[in-house]
Amino acid sequence: MHDALDDAALLIAELLASRWLSRRHPRVRRALIDADLWQTVQDRLALTGLRLVDNIHADHVCVALLRGAETAVFGETGLNANNNAHLPRDAVSLLVLLWSLIVLPKRERQAARAATAETGGQAEMFTAERPLPSAASVSPTVSYKALLADFGPQLGRKTRMDGNLKRLETLGFIQRRGDEIGEGPLLDLLLDYDALAPRILEGALGDVLARTRQRAEADTDAAAPEDRAAPAAADDPDEAAKETAGPPSGADPHAKDED
């Protein structure tokens, strides 16, 4: 007869079965505030070469291999590969591009909103703790049509890109909602922000992101109604009538006024 499983064992079982869990899951929420439960989960996962992956900027948690177990599992060849999910190179390029267009702006928005909330609460006598905004509330989406138009030739064109998007969606990196591509549960968990962000911002993709941001701002400005200043009314109605009527009939509009 099996012994009853405790919360740590149940949380690990659910993580392994589901691949990821929301931070709002009851057992995950308890583990995030119970240091003993969190450490118990980490210790038990470590016995099997795994670790619990959490990120305050993401809305989910998942498990991943410990660094020490990677060599034993993948070998030197696997470690030298650009990924262990059997993604082709163009799929990896697409993944990095989508990570850049979704995660980098999302983290900027999270930091900006958190800073605004902190500044606004300085006048309060008893300030409450304000967590970072959830990823779902600030994570941008990428238009499929815009992605295909801008990067289709570099990413294998429509058929190839559609296949790679399906792979990334199956792996949990992205979510598709019609024409919109959004953040998946694992996009901000399994890609190392500290290692990847500097390379992107200081590399070739930095120019791509700058152009994308400028285009988004231009589209926003174009969509906003233009404020057109109404012509100022003349103080003298007769002067206004003269300006509206123009020069008198038969007068030479090019003639100069004589003193």
Side-chain angles (χ1 to χ4, degrees):
M1 186 173 180
H2 298 290
D3 296 332
L5 299 177
D6 59 10
D7 287 338
L10 289 173
L11 177 55
I12 292 173
E14 284 189 281
L15 279 169
L16 294 177
S18 303
R19 296 172 55 203
W20 60 77
L21 290 175
S22 170
R23 291 171 67 92
R24 297 182 179 180
H25 187 283
R27 290 193 181 88
V28 175
R29 293 180 63 180
R30 182 183 169 191
L32 291 172
I33 61 176
D34 188 340
D36 293 335
L37 177 58
W38 180 271
Q39 191 58 48
T40 300
V41 172
Q42 290 285 30
D43 292 342
R44 292 186 185 179
L45 285 172
L47 294 175
T48 59
L50 298 173
R51 61 188 173 93
L52 182 58
V53 181
D54 172 47
N55 183 342
I56 62 173
H57 297 277
D59 290 344
H60 298 80
V61 299
C62 69
V63 293
L65 283 175
L66 287 171
R67 294 297 183 185
E70 290 179 352
T71 303
V73 174
F74 298 116
E76 294 296 335
T77 303
L79 288 180
N80 291 332
N82 56 13
N83 72 95
N84 53 49
H86 306 291
L87 291 174
R89 288 186 177 273
D90 53 355
V92 175
S93 300
L94 178 60
L95 173 60
V96 174
L97 176 62
L98 291 173
W99 183 90
S100 306
L101 295 174
I102 295 175
V103 172
L104 291 180
K106 181 199 74 172
R107 291 212 178 189
E108 289 182 0
R109 294 177 183 178
Q110 286 175 318
R113 290 195 184 182
T116 302
E118 181 178 356
T119 302
Q122 288 180 351
E124 299 178 5
M125 182 176 296
F126 301 102
T127 58
E129 183 180 355
R130 292 180 173 84
L132 284 175
S134 65
S137 65
V138 294
S139 182
T141 58
V142 178
S143 168
Y144 168 78
K145 294 180 180 178
L147 185 69
L148 181 62
D150 293 340
F151 304 102
Q154 293 85 359
L155 296 174
R157 301 190 183 278
K158 186 179 188 305
T159 302
R160 185 70 178 178
M161 195 174 80
D162 288 347
N164 287 331
L165 286 172
K166 185 63 178 177
R167 290 188 180 97
L168 297 181
E169 185 177 14
T170 302
L171 292 172
F173 288 113
I174 63 171
Q175 292 179 339
R176 299 286 300 274
R177 304 180 188 89
D179 185 54
E180 300 298 322
I181 303 170
E183 177 181 355
L186 302 182
L187 187 63
D188 203 5
L189 285 176
L190 296 185
L191 278 76
D192 190 344
Y193 179 91
D194 293 335
L196 197 57
R199 298 180 184 180
I200 291 176
L201 294 174
E202 299 171 6
L205 274 180
D207 296 335
V208 174
L209 294 175
R211 291 197 301 268
T212 303
R213 187 173 303 172
Q214 291 173 358
R215 182 182 304 171
E217 293 175 353
D219 293 341
T220 302
D221 294 340
E226 297 181 357
D227 296 331
R228 301 183 181 275
D235 295 335
D236 188 351
D238 294 335
E239 293 294 333
K242 292 180 181 179
E243 292 179 1
T244 304
S249 178
D252 186 359
H254 300 287
K256 297 182 180 180
D257 295 334
E258 296 181 359
D259 294 334

